[in-house]
Amino acid sequence: MTTINFQEKIFLAGSSGMVGSSIYKALKKNGYGDKKLGGEIYTPKRVDLDLLNTTEVTNWFGTKNPSIVIIAAAKVGGIYANFKNPANFILENLKIQTNIIEAAFKTNVKRLIFLGSSCIYPKFSKQPIKEEYLLEGKLEPTNEYYAIAKIAGMKLCEALNIQHDFDSISLMPTNLYGPGDNYKPDESHVMAALIKKFSDAKRENSPSVTCWGTGSPLREFLHVDDLSDAVIFCLKNWNPKSHNSPTYSDGSPLYHLNVGTGKDLSIKELALMIANLTNYKGEIIWDKSKPDGTPQKKLDVSRIKKLGWKHKIKLKDGIEQSILNYEKLIKNINI
């Protein structure tokens, strides 16, 4: 593994999304992309580079020749969106990641980091979820097509590393939230959905808020800025083939790492926390006709901790800031 430096030409795929915009800020904060030092961060918009188009991606890599690639681009959505559009989620994600990874490999990119998701793990996985539990059981049906695409991307990186020594690694973050989150009702994940529900109910003086499911599932949440910190940390410090890097129990190299807090809470506890932070005093109704999803999904983060990384942002602090961000957003955009 070659240490990354400030002269790198970094391609950040998905720079306009919640994750990508956070990573961009973290890169700049850490001194990357400074043209005075010879560095650059490529953040092409969709109109300039269609990641679904193999020819466009291949030609772009041939012209720009990035040395570092960060894949934060993906088609994402909550339970409803995944359930309604399974073909879109598997097909578009397979195309995006395969186009980028193959082009990076063929143009001898120095390092590539692929961002997956904790939904790659089995629905009834042992808790906390270790990296080796991948493919040990069936996936959660409400997002299995998205998960299969992410597994394929991760395994492609792993295969290229094993067969061709291509320096490609993957991170599996837990549920993310923070600036730039998606608050659209049919597309949002649970954190954004609840922040919107309770903030709107408080502002409109609604007598009740209806939440999906039973509220019993347990979830872990990571602020997106903590993930960005982990991305930069791993680009600088993690080489799966190094003698002191995390391995499987049999000693073989581990090419993906979990990223999270290692702490979870129930959806009901989360709803009560958000209700309290928005000062909402009305009734909370649980619509048990709606799906709960996976009963528990807490990551074992001991391996990345052993490398020297740990999350910094407390959940309560992150949610408070997210509520403020949402309140500012709705003043300008009607969601």
Side-chain angles (χ1 to χ4, degrees):
M1 182 188 80
T2 305
T3 303
I4 67 169
N5 56 60
F6 296 125
Q7 290 77 48
E8 305 293 357
K9 310 294 185 184
I10 302 173
F11 173 34
L12 174 55
S15 60
S16 62
M18 177 178 73
V19 174
S21 57
S22 175
I23 293 174
Y24 180 80
K25 288 187 296 183
L27 287 169
K28 297 293 287 186
K29 182 180 178 181
N30 281 271
Y32 297 99
D34 188 340
K35 293 186 177 181
K36 294 178 182 178
L37 300 176
E40 190 161 359
I41 303 175
Y42 298 123
T43 58
K45 304 298 182 185
R46 186 173 298 180
V47 294
D48 302 312
L49 177 61
D50 181 2
L51 298 176
L52 294 168
N53 188 309
T54 304
T55 302
E56 275 195 38
V57 174
T58 300
N59 291 340
W60 187 90
F61 268 82
T63 301
K64 298 296 185 180
N65 290 305
S67 56
I68 303 293
V69 172
I70 303 170
I71 305 179
K75 179 176 178 59
V76 298
I79 287 178
Y80 180 84
N82 274 270
F83 178 75
K84 286 289 186 180
N85 306 287
N88 292 3
F89 276 89
I90 190 167
L91 188 59
E92 291 187 29
N93 282 303
L94 285 172
K95 284 183 177 180
I96 290 168
Q97 63 205 29
T98 303
N99 286 342
I100 297 172
I101 295 167
E102 186 174 16
F105 167 62
K106 288 182 175 178
T107 54
N108 299 309
V109 162
K110 187 163 71 173
R111 293 217 83 186
L112 179 147
I113 189 162
F114 173 73
L115 299 182
S117 166
S118 59
C119 73
I120 65 167
Y121 293 111
K123 177 174 182 175
F124 298 109
S125 184
K126 290 175 286 187
Q127 303 289 323
I129 305 170
K130 295 180 180 293
E131 286 85 352
E132 54 263 45
Y133 296 167
L134 180 66
L135 300 177
E136 283 193 347
K138 291 185 177 181
L139 298 166
E140 160 58 39
T142 56
N143 59 19
E144 68 173 319
Y145 299 96
Y146 173 78
I148 288 170
K150 285 296 185 181
I151 293 170
M154 186 200 75
K155 285 296 184 180
L156 176 55
C157 289
E158 181 179 311
L160 288 170
N161 208 324
I162 293 170
Q163 184 175 341
H164 298 288
D165 203 30
F166 177 54
D167 193 351
S168 49
I169 53 178
S170 300
L171 296 181
M172 299 299 125
T174 190
N175 300 286
L176 299 171
Y177 72 99
D181 212 339
N182 187 345
Y183 293 98
K184 294 179 181 178
D186 292 346
E187 300 175 11
S188 61
H189 289 94
V190 63
M191 179 70 81
L194 291 176
I195 287 174
K196 175 176 170 55
K197 280 178 182 288
F198 286 102
S199 295
D200 290 355
K202 171 61 178 177
R203 188 178 62 259
E204 297 164 4
N205 200 28
S206 299
S208 66
V209 168
T210 300
C211 301
W212 276 29
T214 64
S216 63
L218 298 166
R219 291 291 182 270
E220 174 185 9
F221 296 94
L222 180 73
H223 195 282
V224 68
D225 289 349
D226 274 332
L227 172 61
S228 300
D229 184 59
V231 167
I232 294 174
F233 175 87
C234 288
L235 281 172
K236 292 167 62 177
N237 298 288
W238 177 37
N239 174 9
K241 295 180 179 178
S242 173
H243 70 279
N244 59 350
S245 285
T247 64
Y248 285 109
S249 55
D250 64 0
S252 59
L254 184 65
Y255 295 96
H256 70 282
L257 286 178
N258 292 336
V259 186
T261 65
K263 302 174 183 177
D264 62 7
L265 77 167
S266 72
I267 299 300
K268 187 170 288 187
E269 289 174 313
L270 177 65
L272 290 171
M273 181 185 292
I274 295 173
N276 181 57
L277 292 173
T278 55
N279 199 32
Y280 177 72
K281 304 297 184 182
E283 182 185 5
I284 301 176
I285 299 169
W286 293 93
D287 182 357
K288 297 178 182 178
S289 70
K290 297 295 193 296
D292 270 337
T294 305
Q296 185 178 18
K297 195 167 60 172
K298 180 170 72 172
L299 296 181
D300 183 316
V301 293
S302 59
R303 286 182 166 113
I304 195 168
K305 276 188 175 181
K306 191 174 180 181
L307 279 176
W309 182 87
K310 184 181 180 182
H311 79 284
K312 300 180 179 68
I313 301 171
K314 294 179 180 179
L315 183 61
K316 182 175 179 291
D317 295 340
I319 292 176
E320 281 182 323
Q321 187 58 53
S322 294
I323 292 170
L324 290 175
N325 290 342
Y326 175 71
E327 293 293 345
K328 290 178 182 177
L329 180 66
I330 60 173
K331 289 181 181 179
N332 302 310
I333 302 173
N334 183 25
I335 298 178

